[in-house]
């Protein structure tokens, strides 16, 4: 129960970050059953793409946004 509350808090924070960064927020069902969260940064020549993902059982909350690289 504590883990589920923690993951709900993480999902809420990810959604807030998505709104602050003007990112794309995707809430979708998944096949299977999984709990956890991740952060990923992909560096391209023109821009950097960030991904936050939180999995709550059969629901996935994804936040994706892009920034110009520093320098």
């Amino acid at each position: 129960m504590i883990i589920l509350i923690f993951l709900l808090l993480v999902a809420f924070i990810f959604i807030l970050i998505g709104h602050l960064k003007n990112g794309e927020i995707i809430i979708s069902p998944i096949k299977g059953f999984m709990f956890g969260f991740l952060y990923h940064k992909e560096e391209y020549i023109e821009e950097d793409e960030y991904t936050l993902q939180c999995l709550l059982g059969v629901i996935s909350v994804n936040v994706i946004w892009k920034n110009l690289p520093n320098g």
Side-chain angles (χ1 to χ4, degrees):
M1 185 67 175
I2 293 173
I3 294 172
L4 185 59
I5 292 170
F6 173 72
L7 288 173
L8 285 171
L9 180 64
V10 169
F12 179 72
I13 291 170
F14 283 4
I15 290 172
L16 287 178
I17 291 171
H19 283 291
L20 291 173
K21 298 288 187 175
N22 293 323
E24 181 179 357
I25 299 170
I26 303 166
I27 300 173
S28 61
I30 60 172
K31 293 181 180 179
F33 194 76
M34 181 180 272
F35 289 102
F37 59 94
L38 68 85
Y39 162 80
H40 178 73
K41 177 182 176 185
E42 187 69 36
E43 296 179 3
Y44 297 107
I45 295 172
E46 305 87 23
E47 61 193 8
D48 294 338
E49 182 178 279
Y50 298 88
T51 302
L52 299 173
Q53 184 177 44
C54 185
L55 298 157
L56 305 164
V58 295
I59 302 296
S60 173
V61 177
N62 299 301
V63 178
I64 301 167
W65 76 92
K66 298 177 181 179
N67 280 343
L68 295 175
N70 294 333

